[in-house]
Amino acid sequence: MASADFIAGSLLRSRLTPPLVKADYLSRPRLHEALVHHPDARVVLIAAPAGFGKSSALAALAELKREQGWSVAWLSLEAGEDDPRTFWQMLIESVRQSLPHFGQDASEFLDNTISVPVAALVESLIMDLHHSEQPLLLVVDDLHVITDKATLDGLARLVQFAPAGVQLAFGSRELPPMPLATWRARHWMIELGQDDLRLSQEETRSYLKRHGGELDDKLLGKLTQQTEGWMVGVHLAGLWLGSEQAKGREVKALPEQEGMADYLLASVFEQLPADLQEAVLALSVASQINGDLANTLTGRTDGQALLEDLEAKQLFFVPLDRERHWYRFHHLFADFARKRLQSQNLKRFRQLHFNASLWFTNHHMQNLAIEHACQADDPELLAALVNACGLELINRGQLNLLYRWRLNVPDAIAQQYPILVLADVWTQAASMALPEANRLLDQLLKRWGDGQEQPWSEEFLAVQAVRGVIALQKDDLQTCISLARTVAKQMGRSNSFLEAAIVLCGGFAACVMGWLEQGQQLLQLAQQQVPFLKGNFLAMQMGNLQMFLELERGRLGQARHLANQLREQYTPWFGADSKALILPAISQSLVAYEQLELDGLSNRLCWALANIDVINPIDLYARGTLCMARVQRLAGKDKEALQTLAQMQSSASRAQAWRFFSLALAEELALLLQDGNAETLRKVEQRFKTTEWAKMAERYSAAPYNPVVWSQGLTQVRLHQARSHFSEALHEITRLRGLLLPGWHGLQRLRLDLLAAVSYQALGYRDRAHNLLVQTLVQSEKEGLRSIFIEEGLAVRDLLRELESNERQPALQSFIRGLLSFWATEEDTTSAEQVQEMLTEREREVVVLAAQGMSNEQIGQQLDLALGTVKWHLHNIYEKLRVRNRTQAIRRARELSLL
């Protein structure tokens, strides 16, 4: 075991060690000149096709920097390493070879996040670099392997914000999709391409001479023309030339240019003894080779000596570490040998990959073992290997690797391995009906026991965690609660991450259903697991759910405080655009909407609702969708709001989440009632009567609070008021008060008080109406709550206007005036023509672009204005249109037909 761990560690070290600079290395004068003239360059980019000597040039650069007293971190990438988690873990480890404490915080939250928080991770690494005074060269070779945009953006951010004394160097077969133009313009980059790496005719002559081969000027010119200074081509020609001259033959001609590389590779290969040819073919299947693996692949016992002999023969075989434990072939030669082996003996090709897979398995290098199993075309072996390490991948959030390998296993075989079936569940459950998803999970659970043993195994617990997340997504809250109760009894005896996730889901579900004490106990139990978790994902979600529950209580001030804390604490960890922040973004948007802080709210909601996180409770997504409809309604986009609500009803119906179907329906009918049209009122009443409220409410009959009954009753109140049946409305309001739970549903209580004030005013009880309205205003002003006043329409506006003239409390009077500013006043008879004259041409351009959804920065770019100038124009627009913010300005502009 210790030996296997040492070998695995030595392979990793070889990937993090600069290759040795050979004695016959041809220096690159262009690179050295650039380093002299631009010593403060932040990045060195060497981009050229395979075989131009990029790695050698980078190794020489590393050697030069080391001689100058710099620390050097080196990372060589291999095909298939586009996984962000693998890349950043290896990069951190490479820097730790020189800076031992580098990336400790970043490594911790890499362990437990569901998706890699690249932006936040990079910020943490930049902070670590600023804390170090040691100059550092960080080399990433074969950067073309990386295609993940977030990873490339993270590297670009390193270039931009790393401190002085940190230089990054990239080797790539192509220009990476990074801000190269900006780096060039700011003189941050030293850039070498294939033209800079080509060997001149004299350099070619010198290189051939070193390797025992010479050509006359004519043939040398022809070789230079054919190879175009390509280093590998010249090296191949040197090997071929040396062998020809060693045989006493005079070279009078060169191979034709077409297929020259393949011809030269074949010529060099075929000059080897037969036993060495067989060894090279066998070794070529592995991307990294040591002596013991060489013995396994070739059947020999002198593996280490064989590797050293290949290096001595300069057969494109290079050491990966200074101790010469690990080697690799040059990519071109390896590809040539693999293709030759595959075409000659496909059975042997697969058997060698099978043997390599077993070797890497025995030495605890699972990823390499699995990659070789894929090439061996042995789905049974592949399935067994993936199944063995699958739970670890799930716990680390590396589902992308699990999915990729799963695609190589036929369904009939995959069904025999629980982890592979679990991977299928993750991909299928979102589109499945709840019973179908549960049946699939039940079948999977049978393979890991009956649940009677305590504690549950990690495999059994992992399936139950999936069940809890799916139940939370599909509104099966009772299942969440039951699972959480069971896990709570064995807390701390299995995987902390899985236990905390299940209990967290159950605690949230219990609170939403009205079992407040039980829900809070479960949430506190989940919170106790935080010290045992290395990452921040679950801790952040716990804070987010607490914020959501404060919102349910009606404590907007506390919810806003928690929102600010979450933003400050976790955005640096995960990055502003990380999917890990989707749920907090929705909760923060709900708080912002209730306080009518609408600037940028629509864009934030659109982003959050367009993405799906692994833990995606239907409560937050449904409330976010409802919030989007309300924002659209306030912006005067009634058709879009109705469409959003229709989509919400459709989704809720498919999931049988009737509490959200009824909530969306109630919102739709409330919007239609604002019309005041008799025909619309008749249609609303008809829709209300034909809705099966009682049937939908049955699902929640056992809970302390029935959300369907609430939505039905609230709609009934609004219908009574629309029909001027205000006494009936007050009776229904009294009944609804009895549904609400003590210490909970604060916003609902205030809404009922507001509706009651409207009814009392209509019945002539002005004092009672005003007292109730003042009471509602005082509590709302304390929490910053504004939304309910605007949502309940013109009757509330008229009440506020009447109260404004009599109110003597300055704070409350200011709050009332702020609410009234959301409505266009009857006294404001400014015509569209007058407003057109009031607004300058530039202001009209700004308001049109704002209505198109552009941010201030985008407007500035479009009109070539500074950000401060855009804000100044918007301020003038607000003043002239008599509004308070962007949303009101757009709505007012539409009312005046300015758009």
Side-chain angles (χ1 to χ4, degrees), residues 278-500:
E278 290 300 307
V280 167
L281 292 178
L283 296 175
S284 70
V285 302
S287 56
Q288 301 101 16
I289 314 156
N290 70 359
D292 189 50
L293 177 56
N295 288 335
T296 298
L297 294 176
T298 63
R300 298 167 59 143
T301 58
D302 60 343
Q304 184 64 34
L306 171 65
L307 302 183
E308 293 173 3
D309 183 41
L310 290 174
E311 181 191 4
K313 294 182 182 300
Q314 296 188 327
L315 288 174
F316 302 98
F317 198 65
V318 294
L320 296 176
D321 52 22
R322 294 182 180 274
E323 296 80 11
R324 284 175 163 76
H325 290 151
W326 289 92
Y327 291 80
R328 71 169 176 85
F329 283 109
H330 190 282
H331 301 301
L332 285 172
F333 194 79
D335 289 343
F336 161 79
R338 287 172 195 149
K339 291 177 182 177
R340 193 178 185 97
L341 173 62
Q342 196 169 12
S343 63
Q344 288 180 354
N345 192 336
L346 180 59
K347 183 177 180 181
R348 185 185 177 213
F349 174 82
R350 291 174 175 171
Q351 182 62 47
L352 286 167
H353 275 294
F354 179 88
N355 295 344
S357 180
L358 292 182
W359 190 91
F360 281 114
T361 299
N362 292 333
H363 292 84
H364 311 302
M365 292 180 255
Q366 296 302 119
N367 285 22
L368 287 170
I370 292 172
E371 293 295 347
H372 279 289
C374 291
Q375 293 296 322
D377 195 25
D378 190 327
E380 286 283 0
L381 174 63
L382 176 60
L385 291 173
V386 174
N387 190 72
C389 67
L391 186 60
E392 181 183 353
L393 291 171
I394 293 173
N395 290 343
R396 294 204 314 255
Q398 291 182 293
L399 292 175
N400 60 322
L401 287 178
L402 193 58
Y403 293 150
R404 178 162 67 85
W405 290 328
R406 165 64 183 88
L407 294 175
N408 291 286
V409 181
D411 291 344
I413 294 176
Q415 292 303 312
Q416 303 172 30
Y417 294 90
I419 287 292
L420 299 185
V421 177
L422 186 60
D424 290 339
V425 170
W426 278 92
T427 57
Q428 297 170 17
S431 58
M432 280 183 175
L434 182 63
E436 184 181 1
N438 280 332
R439 279 195 298 271
L440 190 59
L441 288 167
D442 288 338
Q443 293 172 6
L444 185 56
L445 283 174
K446 291 177 182 177
R447 307 180 183 195
W448 282 327
D450 56 9
Q452 298 301 315
E453 72 282 357
Q454 296 291 330
W456 287 344
S457 67
E458 283 199 359
E459 294 86 354
F460 197 93
L461 193 65
V463 180
Q464 296 291 36
V466 174
R467 186 191 296 278
V469 170
I470 292 173
L472 200 62
Q473 175 188 344
K474 298 183 180 296
D475 202 32
D476 183 12
L477 301 187
Q478 189 57 55
T479 292
C480 293
I481 297 169
S482 298
L483 281 173
R485 287 172 178 167
T486 303
V487 172
K489 296 176 183 177
Q490 59 181 46
M491 203 75 171
R493 299 169 63 188
S494 188
N495 183 283
S496 297
F497 179 80
L498 295 174
E499 288 178 342

Side-chain angles (χ1 to χ4, degrees), residues 139-367:
V139 181
V140 180
D141 198 12
D142 290 322
L143 183 65
H144 55 271
V145 167
I146 301 299
T147 60
D148 179 70
K149 183 179 184 300
T151 299
L152 292 170
D153 289 346
L155 286 172
R157 193 164 180 82
L158 267 181
V159 171
Q160 183 175 1
F161 293 106
V166 173
Q167 189 176 73
L168 281 83
F170 302 134
S172 177
R173 294 185 185 179
E174 56 193 37
L175 290 176
M178 301 169 86
L180 305 183
T182 300
W183 296 349
R184 294 182 187 117
R186 295 178 179 177
H187 305 290
W188 286 0
M189 180 168 65
I190 296 172
E191 184 176 9
L192 273 70
Q194 57 182 312
D195 290 339
D196 302 301
L197 298 175
R198 296 185 194 279
L199 299 181
S200 67
Q201 183 164 322
E202 285 307 310
E203 287 173 329
T204 301
R205 184 196 304 276
S206 175
Y207 188 88
L208 293 176
K209 191 172 183 179
R210 290 186 194 181
H211 290 77
E214 291 191 55
L215 291 173
D216 60 33
D217 290 345
K218 182 178 180 181
L219 287 178
L220 181 64
K222 183 177 181 182
L223 177 63
T224 304
Q225 181 181 11
Q226 288 187 354
T227 60
E228 296 182 350
W230 181 42
M231 172 61 80
V232 167
V234 173
H235 181 68
L236 282 167
L239 291 174
W240 171 77
L241 182 61
S243 66
E244 291 294 303
Q245 293 180 345
K247 296 174 183 177
R249 300 174 185 172
E250 183 180 357
V251 177
K252 297 182 178 181
L254 296 174
E256 293 300 321
Q257 183 169 356
E258 185 177 356
M260 180 180 182
D262 288 340
Y263 173 82
L264 291 174
L265 282 168
S267 298
V268 170
F269 176 79
E270 290 166 0
Q271 290 166 12
L272 298 174
D275 63 330
L276 201 53
Q277 288 187 28
E278 290 300 307
V280 167
L281 292 178
L283 296 175
S284 70
V285 302
S287 56
Q288 301 101 16
I289 314 156
N290 70 359
D292 189 50
L293 177 56
N295 288 335
T296 298
L297 294 176
T298 63
R300 298 167 59 143
T301 58
D302 60 343
Q304 184 64 34
L306 171 65
L307 302 183
E308 293 173 3
D309 183 41
L310 290 174
E311 181 191 4
K313 294 182 182 300
Q314 296 188 327
L315 288 174
F316 302 98
F317 198 65
V318 294
L320 296 176
D321 52 22
R322 294 182 180 274
E323 296 80 11
R324 284 175 163 76
H325 290 151
W326 289 92
Y327 291 80
R328 71 169 176 85
F329 283 109
H330 190 282
H331 301 301
L332 285 172
F333 194 79
D335 289 343
F336 161 79
R338 287 172 195 149
K339 291 177 182 177
R340 193 178 185 97
L341 173 62
Q342 196 169 12
S343 63
Q344 288 180 354
N345 192 336
L346 180 59
K347 183 177 180 181
R348 185 185 177 213
F349 174 82
R350 291 174 175 171
Q351 182 62 47
L352 286 167
H353 275 294
F354 179 88
N355 295 344
S357 180
L358 292 182
W359 190 91
F360 281 114
T361 299
N362 292 333
H363 292 84
H364 311 302
M365 292 180 255
Q366 296 302 119
N367 285 22

Side-chain angles (χ1 to χ4, degrees), residues 4 46 52 184 276 360 399 442 469 530 582 586 707 733 826 834 865:
I46 303 179
F52 270 91
R184 294 182 187 117
L276 201 53
F360 281 114
L399 292 175
D442 288 338
V469 170
V530 170
I582 288 173
I586 294 176
I733 288 171
E826 292 178 358
Q834 290 173 313
L865 298 175

Side-chain angles (χ1 to χ4, degrees), residues 824-855:
T825 62
E826 292 178 358
E827 292 78 13
D828 186 3
T829 57
T830 306
S831 67
E833 291 78 11
Q834 290 173 313
V835 173
Q836 285 277 17
E837 294 177 0
M838 291 166 57
L839 295 179
T840 66
E841 181 180 352
R842 181 63 83 189
E843 288 167 352
R844 289 196 294 273
E845 290 174 342
V846 169
V847 77
V848 167
L849 294 177
Q852 294 174 5
M854 288 191 181
S855 65

Side-chain angles (χ1 to χ4, degrees), residues 794-814:
L794 299 181
V796 172
R797 181 198 65 180
D798 295 340
L799 261 178
L800 291 172
R801 282 181 179 172
E802 184 174 329
L803 184 62
E804 180 194 16
S805 58
N806 300 322
E807 182 55 46
R808 293 294 179 264
Q809 298 182 44
L812 202 57
Q813 191 174 57
S814 174

